[in-house]
């Protein structure tokens, strides 16, 4: 087992241990889940701990499977430490994004590593935009098309409150991976400038919608 596998499985292991504890301990789950009211009262640690809890085994499996597929690309380019920074930074930014959009909903709760995983996915797209992703594990599409399309869908989901999904945390996490990767790997600007610009477009759309009260 090489370094890439060890680092990836450490993160997956952390998620699995905390999530399994939450599955079997309601008090633990409620104490560390994302909750707007509790965070506003000073329990800021929930911004981080909620990212290691999951609703059920399926939720955990999907997030960790996605992380497994794309973590190697990010680690290969950025190294172990920066991978952790991108992961945690995306997790935190995703939840802060969610906190902002739900700031007046004290009852709002959420859990999951989706924001962090989206950060790793978008970091991988920036670093290797030419790679192909299997949509639903069947339909191959270019990574950059998925990236742009998913962010636009996420904005649509935020606007229309589609499903029991933290679209805002997904968007914030993706942007965390985007910006932190550009800080660590500035060569991306010159090598993949078009991709940098294209992935920035959904952020402009979000800003315009927010400024005009459409979100």
């Amino acid at each position: 087992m090489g370094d890439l596998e060890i680092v990836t499985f450490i993160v997956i292991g952390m998620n699995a241990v905390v999530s399994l504890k939450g599955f079997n301990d309601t008090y633990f789950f409620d104490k560390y889940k994302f909750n707007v009211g509790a965070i506003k009262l000073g329990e800021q640690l929930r911004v981080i701990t909620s990212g290691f809890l999951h609703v059920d085994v399926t939720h955990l499996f999907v997030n960790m499977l996605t992380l497994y597929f794309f973590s190697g690309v990010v680690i290969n380019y950025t190294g172990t430490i920066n991978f952790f920074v991108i992961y945690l930074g995306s997790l935190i930014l995703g939840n802060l994004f969610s906190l902002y959009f739900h700031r007046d909903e004290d009852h709002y709760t959420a859990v999951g590593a989706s924001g962090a995983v989206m950060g790793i996915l978008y970091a991988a797209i920036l670093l290797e935009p030419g790679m192909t992703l299997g949509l639903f594990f069947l339909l191959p599409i270019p990574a950059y098309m998925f990236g742009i399309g998913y962010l636009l869908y996420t904005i649509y989901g935020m606007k229309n409150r589609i499903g029991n999904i933290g679209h805002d945390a997904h968007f914030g996490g993706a942007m965390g991976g985007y910006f932190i990767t550009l800080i660590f790997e500035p060569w991306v600007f010159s090598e993949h400038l078009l991709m940098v610009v294209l992935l920035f477009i959904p952020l402009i759309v979000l800003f315009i919608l927010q400024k005009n009260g459409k979100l």
Side-chain angles (χ1 to χ4, degrees):
M1 181 181 293
D3 292 340
L4 300 188
E5 289 82 1
I6 291 174
V7 172
T8 301
F9 284 114
I10 286 174
V11 175
I12 291 175
M14 291 169 62
N15 276 277
V17 169
V18 175
S19 293
L20 289 172
K21 173 67 174 175
F23 295 159
N24 299 296
D25 188 337
T26 302
Y27 174 79
F28 179 86
F29 186 89
D30 289 339
K31 181 178 175 63
Y32 294 110
K33 68 183 179 182
F34 182 92
N35 177 264
V36 172
I39 294 171
K40 286 164 67 175
L41 288 174
E43 298 182 28
Q44 287 88 0
L45 186 62
R46 290 173 181 259
V47 170
I48 297 176
T49 56
S50 61
F52 292 91
L53 289 167
H54 289 81
V55 173
D56 52 33
V57 174
T58 300
H59 188 205
L60 172 65
F61 176 77
V62 170
N63 274 335
M64 295 303 100
L65 183 64
T66 305
L67 177 65
Y68 175 79
F69 282 144
F70 296 102
S71 61
V73 174
V74 180
I75 296 168
N76 184 53
Y77 279 95
T78 69
T80 301
I81 300 301
N82 287 350
F83 165 78
F84 275 118
V85 173
I86 293 171
Y87 183 89
L88 288 176
S90 299
L91 186 160
I92 293 170
L93 186 59
N95 279 338
L96 290 178
F97 214 71
S98 188
L99 181 63
Y100 173 77
F101 279 97
H102 297 279
R103 60 191 180 280
D104 297 323
E105 305 170 45
D106 287 355
H107 64 281
Y108 182 83
T109 63
V111 294
S114 299
V117 173
M118 290 303 294
I120 295 300
L121 172 58
Y122 277 80
I125 291 173
L126 271 179
L127 294 166
E128 285 195 12
M131 66 180 175
T132 300
L133 305 184
L135 188 61
F136 304 118
F137 300 101
L138 295 173
L139 181 64
I141 63 171
Y144 71 89
M145 288 181 61
F146 172 85
I148 297 166
Y150 188 83
L151 283 184
L152 292 175
Y153 167 74
T154 298
I155 294 174
Y156 176 78
M158 292 167 61
K159 186 177 186 300
N160 295 281
R161 303 265 179 142
I162 296 176
N164 187 28
I165 301 172
H167 295 287
D168 31 48
H170 290 185
F171 192 97
M175 288 297 97
Y178 175 90
F179 287 115
I180 299 172
T181 299
L182 290 177
I183 291 172
F184 286 153
E185 307 294 333
W187 59 268
V188 172
F189 281 105
S190 58
E191 296 292 327
H192 304 147
L193 181 59
L194 178 60
M195 194 56 46
V196 173
V197 173
L198 290 176
L199 287 177
F200 191 71
I201 290 174
L203 186 62
I204 297 174
V205 173
L206 182 74
F207 174 78
I208 293 172
L209 290 174
Q210 175 67 18
K211 187 175 180 61
N212 289 282
K214 301 296 184 180
L215 288 177

